[in-house]
Amino acid sequence: MTEPAEQPYALATIRGDGSAEITIQGRTQELGAPTVEQARASVVSYLAHRARPLGVPIHVVVDDPEGQFVLVVNPDGSLGETFTSEPDHDTIPPGGHRGEPVDGEPDAPSAPAVEPSTTGPGTPTPSAPEPGTPDPTRVADPASAWGPPGQREAPAAAGPAPVAETVPATAAALVQAPPATVPQPAADPAPVPAHPVSGGWSSSPPAGHDPRPGWDGAGRQAQQLQQPGGWPQQPPGAPAPAGPAQPAEGWPADPSATMTRRQMRESFLKAEQTEAPASTGLRGMLARVGVRVQPSEAERAERADIHAVSQHWPGVRTIAVVNGKGGAGKTPTTALLSATFARYSGAATIAWDNNETRGTLGWRTEQGKHDATVLDLIPRTAELLDPGARAGDISHFVHHQAADKYDVLRSNPNLLSSEQRISGEDVDAIHDVLGRYYRLIFVDSGNDESASHWLRMIDKADQLVVPTIAKPEHAEAGALLLEALTRRGGRSADLAQRAVVVVSQAREKDVNPSAAEIARGFEGWVSEVVTIPYDRAMVENVLRYDALAPATRRAWLRAAAAVARRL
């Protein structure tokens, strides 16, 4: 009787874009291919390359767009049998662990090794047992095979000895196997128990593993289920074909030609990121005096938000700030989100007042050395878009915020709306100009949701922000707007679904309802809701980021990160 050769296990993930990841013996290798089929070929070729010096096949659990299953990759690149991978939690005795006796019961006898079964030309294939006769390939339940507790000798019986455990696996679904080399025995309802190993699969077959391809440790043949990807199903009792097992449909017959030398070796470059020590609070104080302390969870969350806001996206991004009711907080939201992005990302950022009914963004921000508004820019759009225009030419029409690092394109609140009508075509021209000189465009909108310039702004937007103060009428106006955009369908509905809602506590003593209560009403049907605490600096005339309290600045950073993650 011989011991089966040690067979390593691997995990492989194949993604729909052709990328793949293989983990074997604790080491991970990234692969890439133009298609899923070529990625499969690369995975098989890489595992065959790793199996050759070992001289044994590698069992691999594959997570593929077609499903999850298990393969055996031979050193020559061919695919061997697969086995069932459905965990059976019912086989764990109460109070004990799989393969361990329950308190008060004697130890189960150890299982003898099982001789490998060979099948090929000239070797007769065992036939199914006659009805009414014991099946020599089927192992009885271990409890009945070994008798009642205390009996240490097995009764005489034909066929292989029972084993203590069956072959384990952790795949999420039963696996389709290629044609088996033995007949299909009678169905056994007991599934194969699982064998979870911390950190992945173990490097050798678990205890009780039956080396016969397609069989588990209890002598039961692996179940055959039709899986996506074209695995053939072998009828019960059909003879097995001679020669090596054939690969499943979609997997290469000869994958070695698809692997490059570069893919066959592991890179010397490891992507390791060292976390910076704590910088705030008591932990930060200890770090500054030489004691290296990890940051707290709150500091890690703040770093993650800063990283999200600091990104530079390819192309221009437009964020529309919308609510049909005046006084909902659109102007403070526009100004403070612009300031947060400009400070952390360094990207050229502009806040545009797309409001023909006395928009107040110009009143709530610093004025430059001129009094130009959007009405002065519209007649000059062709000049600003001319190839000969220079980067500084836009400064004649916008007002720079010295401390907060963004610019403002004002409307003229001193004119009646009838005197400053802006059409959809004007919005197109303004957006084209701003997109040439800025990377981030925040648009403060008016209250007329039917106006052509308002609708055209929605068409230009990449992300919606719906501000509201903690008052039911303002929150209801924001909710009705989102419902109307959803009914509009298409891109408008997508923007409504991905919207970020910002709820501000506008008055210190006005806490019924609170911002948190209003926020809970929006949860579940927008992408994220962020609350802003009351801050007197937000109700004063000019909005400045540095004037806010630390808690308020942190809340605006959280709101900006929520927007950034959806750009």
Side-chain angles (χ1 to χ4, degrees):
M1 188 172 295
T2 60
E3 291 291 333
E6 183 179 15
Q7 295 181 341
Y9 286 78
L11 297 172
T13 301
I14 300 176
R15 307 178 185 93
D17 61 357
S19 62
E21 180 182 274
I22 304 174
T23 301
I24 179 171
Q25 295 178 335
R27 305 186 70 177
T28 300
Q29 177 71 21
E30 294 282 348
L31 302 176
T35 65
V36 172
E37 289 73 17
Q38 292 173 327
R40 290 168 177 164
S42 297
V43 167
V44 175
S45 182
Y46 177 82
L47 291 173
H49 171 75
R50 295 294 300 271
R52 287 186 197 108
L54 301 176
V56 293
I58 295 178
H59 287 75
V60 54
V61 180
V62 182
D63 191 358
D64 185 273
E66 297 278 345
Q68 192 176 59
F69 45 89
V70 182
L71 297 174
V72 178
V73 180
N74 296 313
D76 62 357
S78 63
L79 298 183
E81 304 286 351
T82 60
F83 54 86
T84 309
S85 57
E86 179 70 18
D88 181 12
H89 302 290
D90 296 334
T91 59
I92 303 178
H97 301 282
R98 185 178 287 107
E100 298 178 0
V102 183
D103 291 342
E105 293 185 7
D107 295 340
S110 59
V114 183
E115 280 289 334
S117 174
T118 58
T119 304
T123 302
T125 302
S127 58
E130 293 292 331
T133 62
D135 185 354
T137 65
R138 179 182 176 89
V139 178
D141 179 70
S144 61
W146 292 102
Q151 182 176 345
R152 309 304 295 176
E153 296 182 3
V163 293
E165 291 186 344
T166 56
V167 61
T170 57
L174 292 176
V175 181
Q176 154 70 28
T181 59
V182 288
Q184 178 76 23
D188 189 337
V192 182
H195 180 62
V197 178
S198 177
W201 286 71
S202 61
S203 61
S204 61
H209 176 65
D210 191 332
R212 291 176 294 176
W215 288 71
D216 61 30
R220 292 189 293 268
Q221 188 180 16
Q223 290 183 259
Q224 298 187 31
L225 300 176
Q226 186 63 36
Q227 291 287 332
W231 288 88
Q233 185 163 351
Q234 180 75 2
Q246 298 298 317
E249 180 182 335
W251 288 84
D254 183 15
S256 58
T258 66
M259 282 287 285
T260 64
R261 292 178 62 85
R262 173 64 183 86
Q263 291 173 319
M264 288 183 179
R265 72 169 179 85
E266 295 184 8
S267 175
F268 292 101
L269 304 176
K270 303 299 181 183
E272 296 182 359
Q273 295 183 352
T274 303
E275 184 178 47
S279 60
T280 61
L282 177 61
R283 293 168 179 252
M285 183 184 69
L286 293 173
R288 285 190 289 272
V289 298
V291 181
R292 188 176 182 86
V293 183
Q294 291 184 340
S296 64
E297 291 304 317
E299 185 173 354
R300 285 194 178 102
E302 183 174 0
R303 290 179 180 182
D305 288 345
I306 292 173
H307 184 266
V309 176
S310 301
Q311 300 302 306
H312 281 195
W313 296 269
V316 179
R317 294 293 185 270
T318 302
I319 300 94
V321 182
V322 295
N323 189 321
K325 186 166 181 60
K330 294 188 293 293
T331 296
T333 299
T334 303
L336 293 172
L337 283 179
S338 299
T340 305
F341 273 89
R343 281 170 165 258
Y344 284 105
S345 73
T349 305
I350 188 163
W352 166 20
D353 195 356
N354 185 34
N355 191 347
E356 61 186 18
T357 56
R358 303 194 186 281
T360 59
L361 183 61
W363 286 346
R364 304 294 306 273
T365 54
E366 299 177 35
Q367 181 175 343
K369 296 182 179 180
H370 55 78
D371 56 1
T373 67
V374 66
L375 299 179
D376 299 299
L377 182 141
I378 291 174
R380 307 286 291 277
T381 54
E383 297 176 30
L384 293 168
L385 291 171
D386 187 88
R390 295 169 296 181
D393 291 346
I394 192 67
S395 61
H396 295 289
F397 307 96
V398 298
H399 301 263
H400 185 61
Q401 308 303 295
D404 290 335
K405 311 302 181 185
Y406 70 98
D407 293 344
V408 174
L409 179 60
R410 296 179 162 193
S411 63
N412 192 336
N414 300 316
L415 298 178
L416 297 175
S417 59
S418 59
E419 300 177 16
Q420 52 176 343
R421 293 291 184 191
I422 298 176
S423 65
E425 290 74 19
D426 292 332
V427 171
D428 289 339
I430 296 168
H431 189 267
D432 288 344
V433 169
L434 299 183
R436 177 169 180 177
Y437 294 92
Y438 298 93
R439 301 186 66 167
L440 292 171
I441 303 173
F442 287 85
V443 190
D444 186 3
S445 63
N447 303 327
D448 187 357
E449 301 161 1
S450 64
S452 60
H453 68 279
W454 193 96
L455 294 171
R456 192 63 59 87
M457 170 196 65
I458 296 296
D459 294 336
K460 300 290 184 183
D462 298 296
Q463 177 64 35
L464 289 186
V465 175
V466 180
T468 179
I469 59 175
K471 285 192 173 183
E473 57 268 26
H474 294 79
E476 184 67 15
L480 291 173
L481 171 58
L482 290 171
E483 292 174 0
L485 291 173
T486 301
R487 289 193 300 270
R488 190 183 183 196
R491 192 164 178 276
S492 298
D494 180 63
L495 287 171
Q497 184 179 4
R498 294 188 298 107
V500 172
V501 174
V502 177
V503 185
S504 302
Q505 195 71 46
R507 298 180 182 178
E508 184 176 13
K509 297 181 180 180
D510 190 7
V511 293
N512 189 21
S514 66
E517 291 171 330
I518 294 292
R520 283 194 291 271
F522 283 98
E523 290 176 352
W525 57 287
V526 295
S527 62
E528 193 162 346
V529 187
V530 181
T531 58
I532 308 294
Y534 170 79
D535 195 316
R536 184 174 180 179
M538 288 177 57
V539 299
E540 293 179 348
N541 189 23
V542 177
L543 294 162
R544 292 188 176 89
Y545 186 84
D546 286 335
L548 302 174
T552 312
R553 292 198 298 268
R554 179 68 185 94
W556 280 111
L557 175 60
R558 191 178 298 112
V563 174
R565 284 190 288 267
R566 286 149 188 87
L567 292 179

